[in-house]
Amino acid sequence: MKKKSENWKVKRMIIALVIVAVVIVAIKFILFPPVKEIPTTGKYQIASEDYWVTEDNEDPYSKNGGYRQLQVRKWYPIDCAEEKPVVVASHGSCGTIDNNGSLYRELASHGYTVLAVAHPGQAASVKYENGKSCGPSGEFLKEMGALKPEEDLEKAYKVFHKWMEIRTDDLNAVMDDWVEKEGATHFISEGHSLGGSAAYAMARIRDDVIGCIALESPFMYDIKGVEDGNFVFDDSDYDVPLLSIYSDASYPHLREWGQYGNNAKFLDSSNPLYTNIHYENIGHMGLCDLSLASPVIAAILDGGFQKARAKDRLTKLNEDCLAWVSDLCAR
């Protein structure tokens, strides 16, 4: 009897483990259903490789000190002799190095090199050269959670300034490293959300940035202070073309939300350097590949599922970005 009892306990344990395994697989399937990559349309085969850039600055999110190291994923066309601008991509808050991976692949298939940067402390995951990894900084998560631009403008301005300093230092380091190793070139800055704010900033900062693509991003770098209960902007015109893309998450509110003051101004501008596109029936995460990789997580972050198919919307986004970049290079 004792042996039968022990055998039954073993069977119960095995059944429990099987049930747990099935539940884990089911949850993973629900959160990350199998999806096919959006096919590229260019004539070039593409490849990718990771490398690392170490800054001269200490990492503001590191508890142990030390210089800040950036993971960079290079997407590039194989056997391409064309000389084209290099696209430098910056992810959103708690985004990933493949934030808009389908766009990077599409651009690479048409002859463009894309350098996607993972920002330590502000990324969902960063892998270092020594093989170690880290997630988002607790300090950064607290800053995000406490941010209320409509209630405390002074605090928001300080946080915006800090984030822009970190991001622009990162992107400058990557661009300077590329110029040093590959020679002089032209860059197109690109980013989603906070990354797009940094992309706008690079168009202000560097003479070798000839254009900028921002996917639903406030002109955060242009906020220079607070006065009489309002953000004060550098609202002078940009001297390079800008492509600003919006979803339903922000487009109806550009004239209401203080941090989007320059977005509203440039939206209404007749300046031919500004191109604005609004995609309907999607939220903020519909402008990055998370909406394709995990519709459930994207829906949670956006407060509801997209009304448009992620694959269709991202394909259209990639088409519009490629057309704009091609037009920019033809000027």
Side-chain angles (χ1 to χ4, degrees):
M1 291 294 292
K2 185 178 181 181
K3 188 173 182 179
K4 288 183 179 180
S5 177
E6 289 177 352
N7 288 340
W8 175 237
K9 287 181 180 179
V10 172
K11 289 180 180 179
R12 287 173 59 187
M13 185 178 297
I14 292 173
I15 292 171
L17 289 173
V18 170
I19 292 173
V20 170
V22 170
V23 169
I24 291 174
V25 171
I27 292 174
K28 184 177 180 180
F29 182 85
I30 292 170
L31 294 180
F32 297 96
V35 294
K36 293 183 179 179
E37 288 185 337
I38 296 175
T40 58
T41 64
K43 64 181 181 180
Y44 294 107
Q45 296 294 314
I46 61 175
S48 68
E49 60 185 44
D50 287 5
Y51 69 96
W52 288 264
V53 174
T54 301
E55 297 184 30
D56 292 332
N57 306 318
E58 288 189 5
D59 191 330
Y61 295 118
S62 174
K63 297 178 181 179
N64 302 320
Y67 292 117
R68 184 167 171 84
Q69 187 180 77
L70 308 171
Q71 179 188 7
V72 182
R73 181 157 295 162
K74 173 186 171 185
W75 290 94
Y76 60 96
I78 299 173
D79 297 329
C80 174
E82 299 180 74
E83 292 187 8
K84 294 188 174 184
V86 174
V87 179
V88 179
S90 181
H91 60 75
S93 299
C94 296
T96 71
I97 200 168
D98 290 323
N99 203 79
N100 285 89
S102 62
L103 173 60
Y104 310 155
R105 294 173 61 255
E106 174 69 355
L107 291 173
S109 77
H110 286 268
Y112 298 93
T113 295
V114 181
L115 307 179
V117 184
H119 301 276
Q122 298 182 348
S125 177
V126 174
K127 183 178 180 180
Y128 293 108
E129 192 168 14
N130 62 9
K132 294 183 179 181
S133 299
C134 77
S137 159
E139 179 183 346
F140 180 65
L141 294 176
K142 287 180 181 178
E143 290 170 342
M144 288 178 57
L147 189 64
K148 296 181 180 179
E150 69 283 0
E151 296 180 11
D152 192 336
L153 276 69
E154 290 285 357
K155 184 176 181 179
Y157 166 65
K158 291 178 181 178
V159 171
F160 290 163
H161 180 77
K162 175 183 176 180
W163 289 351
M164 286 295 93
E165 186 174 26
I166 292 171
R167 289 280 178 134
T168 55
D169 282 349
D170 288 353
L171 298 180
N172 270 320
V174 171
M175 292 181 186
D176 289 344
D177 175 77
W178 182 266
V179 171
E180 181 181 347
K181 293 177 179 176
E182 304 294 334
T185 190
H186 290 123
F187 296 103
I188 296 171
S189 54
E190 184 275 340
H192 172 245
S193 196
L194 179 57
S197 296
Y200 284 139
M202 302 316 293
R204 288 280 198 202
I205 293 171
R206 297 183 66 105
D207 292 335
D208 52 3
V209 173
I210 62 170
C212 169
I213 300 172
L215 309 179
E216 197 150 77
S217 313
F219 285 81
M220 199 175 287
Y221 180 80
D222 286 348
I223 301 175
K224 300 305 179 184
V226 177
E227 188 175 299
D228 298 328
N230 295 293
F231 288 122
V232 177
F233 286 85
D234 172 3
D235 60 358
S236 60
D237 276 321
Y238 281 69
D239 57 6
V240 300
L242 307 180
L243 172 60
S244 302
I245 297 180
Y246 301 98
S247 77
D248 288 342
S250 74
Y251 191 77
H253 307 288
L254 296 182
R255 295 173 181 82
E256 303 169 12
W257 295 342
Q259 68 270 34
Y260 283 86
N262 264 7
N263 297 76
K265 177 178 179 178
F266 298 148
L267 181 68
D268 295 334
S269 173
S270 60
N271 191 326
L273 292 177
Y274 305 149
T275 301
N276 298 280
I277 298 175
H278 169 213
Y279 296 140
E280 298 180 339
N281 297 320
I282 62 169
H284 186 65
M285 304 313 296
L287 297 175
C288 71
D289 283 15
L290 180 64
S291 61
L292 183 66
S294 180
V296 172
I297 294 178
I300 292 171
L301 294 174
D302 277 338
F305 282 94
Q306 315 282 344
K307 296 179 182 178
R309 288 183 62 213
K311 184 177 180 180
D312 294 341
R313 182 54 67 214
L314 288 171
T315 298
K316 176 60 174 167
L317 183 150
N318 296 348
E319 289 175 355
D320 288 342
C321 288
L322 174 63
W324 181 86
V325 169
S326 299
D327 180 66
L328 172 67
C329 295
R331 296 186 184 191

